[in-house]
Amino acid sequence: MTENRQKEHQSFATFWPFYLQEHAKPTTRNLHYVGTSLVVLIAVYSIVTFNWPLLLAMPLAGYFFAWMAHWRIEKNRPATFTYPLWSLAADFKMWGLWLTGRLKPELEKAGVEDR
């Protein structure tokens, strides 16, 4: 467990480096990308096809991969349980930075080594 786990984050600016530290292993981040990508695909497909009940699958798709990564790979507790909204925002921020190739400097600033 990281020492930041004990801190109470009062802003997204302090939460963001903590979030990245909790996602230090590339496999953890990769599983988050799978889940977040599925969430986006489900949302788009649901809107295009007017299949609104399919939207109910979004939390399952997103959280399944993320939580498995935390419990099996990182061996930590998902930040979602303590910071649900910031965790969701950080997940999409991490995903967006990964998609655009801009995540590495953020990981470096947060002190996350490339493993």
Side-chain angles (χ1 to χ4, degrees):
M1 191 178 291
T2 65
E3 70 182 58
N4 281 345
R5 173 65 76 193
Q6 303 305 320
K7 291 183 181 177
E8 188 172 305
H9 297 282
Q10 298 296 322
S11 70
F12 187 79
T14 66
F15 176 76
W16 174 240
F18 162 75
Y19 181 86
L20 292 177
Q21 291 164 8
E22 295 289 290
H23 298 78
K25 296 181 181 176
T27 304
T28 299
R29 292 192 301 273
N30 290 337
L31 286 169
H32 276 66
Y33 305 148
V34 168
T36 304
S37 297
L38 282 173
V39 164
V40 171
L41 289 171
I42 290 168
V44 169
Y45 182 79
S46 295
I47 292 166
V48 169
T49 63
F50 301 101
N51 187 350
W52 307 121
L54 190 57
L55 293 172
L56 297 172
M58 288 172 45
L60 177 63
Y63 288 123
F64 174 78
F65 292 97
W67 290 356
M68 286 299 112
H70 285 286
W71 292 322
R72 301 282 184 174
I73 297 161
E74 287 293 337
K75 308 265 193 257
N76 62 20
R77 184 174 180 260
T80 303
F81 297 139
T82 309
Y83 302 97
L85 295 180
W86 284 350
S87 182
L88 181 63
D91 189 58
F92 277 98
K93 180 176 180 175
M94 182 174 72
W95 182 72
L97 290 170
W98 168 72
L99 281 176
T100 58
R102 299 178 298 144
L103 183 60
K104 188 173 182 173
E106 294 292 317
L107 292 169
E108 290 170 353
K109 279 194 287 188
V112 176
E113 295 178 21
D114 211 5
R115 300 185 208 175

